[in-house]
Amino acid sequence: MRLKGKTAIITGATSGMGKAMAERFSMEGASLVLSGRSQERGLELERNLNKAGGKVVFVAGDVGKLEVNEILVKTAIEHFGKLDTVVTNAGKLGLGSITEISLNEWQETINTNLNSVFYLSRLAIPEMLKNGGGCILANSSIAAFKSFPNHAAYCASKAALVALVKEMAVDYGPKIRVNTICPGPVDTPLIWDSAQAFENPETIVQQTANNTLMKRLGKPEDIASLALFLVSEEASWITGAAYTIDGGILVK
Ligand SMILES: NC(=O)c1ccc[n+]([C@@H]2O[C@H](COP(=O)([O-])OP(=O)(O)OC[C@H]3O[C@@H](n4cnc5c(N)ncnc54)[C@H](O)[C@@H]3O)[C@@H](O)[C@H]2O)c1
């Protein structure tokens, strides 16, 4: 019960890594406000976690919009009386080079991957401070450090996220810890969408798995383990850090 008594918001919780984090955090005793776009998947997750003894509320909506983030923070306070932890995990690929991507797709990708973190952190920090402090964990990507073809908006937004997190750690320490995780290839629907930017998606995913030192794709649970550690008291001296978790693909 490493998160007993803590209230956390997790965005992008209806699938992949966010869902694995929701399941893990709930098992560890956290009260959760979960966000995602699919009402159906979100309510199913809410039902399953509550059936297993969790304290979970799902809120559907696009976190690229300020008002959805306002609802998330309000829900945490109304249901659980306080807010300790925010995990900004929702992400969008927005495929295309800068001459191909539509203006709308570029804007939506920046809104989802970067502006949402600004909105939610800005709203959450005053609530955390009322309670003595808290922590924020953002899900970036190895795309912050390595370029992938036709991922212009994705690479730019994920790199900006790493810089934003470090800057926030400076502004809000020691009361609030702010960190980011930078996953490599993880087996979620998003990696298969990402592979569409290449000629042969099946082959590229297989090659990518083989290119890791661990010879496999990451599992959402691998990422949930790191996220759990970073938001727990065990990580109380960790802030302003960007953790790659990538099976060793970046060091090759
Ligand atoms: N899968 C990978 O290989 C990989 C690698 C590095 C980083 N990431 C990052 O990890 C995070 C989680 O991705 P995943 O791989 O689990 O993908 P996924 O597609 O399984 O899940 C993405 C989640 O984000 C939600 N989401 C997307 N846009 C949203 C929006 N505007 N508002 C609210 N929710 C929204 C979706 O509903 C879903 O719950 C993302 O930020 C992604 O960029 C993924």
Side-chain angles (χ1 to χ4, degrees), residues 166-225:
K166 290 183 186 176
E167 196 282 339
M168 283 163 48
V170 170
D171 285 343
Y172 297 102
K175 294 217 163 132
I176 296 181
R177 297 188 299 111
V178 195
N179 292 297
T180 176
I181 52 176
C182 301
V186 180
D187 196 1
T188 70
L190 188 131
I191 198 175
W192 292 98
D193 292 344
S194 174
Q196 302 306 317
F198 298 82
E199 264 180 21
N200 193 335
E202 290 274 343
T203 314
I204 201 77
V205 172
Q206 196 50 54
Q207 276 172 1
T208 305
N210 289 337
N211 273 342
T212 67
L213 298 180
M214 305 315 290
K215 301 291 172 206
R216 67 167 174 87
L217 296 178
K219 292 179 281 190
E221 294 74 21
D222 294 323
I223 313 303
S225 295

Side-chain angles (χ1 to χ4, degrees), residues 11-234:
T11 68
T14 54
S15 170
M17 300 180 211
K19 188 173 179 207
M21 289 177 203
E23 289 166 349
R24 195 73 195 278
F25 285 21
S26 186
M27 265 174 50
E28 295 285 347
S31 302
L32 296 177
V33 176
L34 303 179
S35 133
R37 287 167 309 175
S38 162
Q39 174 93 0
E40 197 188 331
R41 285 198 313 241
L43 290 179
E44 191 190 351
L45 181 64
E46 179 194 84
R47 230 180 358 260
N48 289 341
L49 294 179
N50 284 333
K51 220 189 275 173
K55 284 162 279 175
V56 176
V57 181
F58 173 74
V59 177
D62 174 357
V63 291
K65 299 196 164 99
L66 175 65
E67 52 279 19
V68 171
N69 295 280
E70 286 169 341
I71 296 169
L72 290 175
V73 173
K74 201 161 162 255
T75 305
I77 303 305
E78 277 176 8
H79 281 258
F80 305 119
K82 67 183 177 101
L83 179 58
D84 306 291
T85 304
V86 163
V87 181
T88 63
N89 166 74
K92 178 177 165 60
L93 278 171
L95 291 182
S97 63
I98 65 155
T99 49
E100 285 163 355
I101 192 170
S102 69
L103 289 182
N104 191 44
E105 187 70 357
W106 173 274
Q107 204 58 57
E108 274 189 17
T109 308
I110 303 296
N111 281 344
T112 305
N113 296 357
L114 181 62
N115 290 340
S116 66
V117 182
F118 161 63
Y119 296 146
L120 188 53
S121 302
R122 180 182 164 93
L123 294 160
I125 286 169
E127 293 301 332
M128 291 174 175
L129 289 176
K130 281 183 198 165
N131 214 26
C135 73
I136 296 172
L137 180 65
N139 198 347
S140 175
S141 167
I142 57 168
F145 313 115
K146 178 180 173 10
S147 298
F148 297 93
N150 299 311
H151 283 64
Y154 191 74
C155 290
S157 55
K158 292 297 190 178
L161 204 46
V162 171
L164 176 64
V165 157
K166 290 183 186 176
E167 196 282 339
M168 283 163 48
V170 170
D171 285 343
Y172 297 102
K175 294 217 163 132
I176 296 181
R177 297 188 299 111
V178 195
N179 292 297
T180 176
I181 52 176
C182 301
V186 180
D187 196 1
T188 70
L190 188 131
I191 198 175
W192 292 98
D193 292 344
S194 174
Q196 302 306 317
F198 298 82
E199 264 180 21
N200 193 335
E202 290 274 343
T203 314
I204 201 77
V205 172
Q206 196 50 54
Q207 276 172 1
T208 305
N210 289 337
N211 273 342
T212 67
L213 298 180
M214 305 315 290
K215 301 291 172 206
R216 67 167 174 87
L217 296 178
K219 292 179 281 190
E221 294 74 21
D222 294 323
I223 313 303
S225 295
L226 177 61
L228 171 63
F229 167 68
L230 286 172
V231 304
S232 76
E233 287 303 313
E234 289 158 53

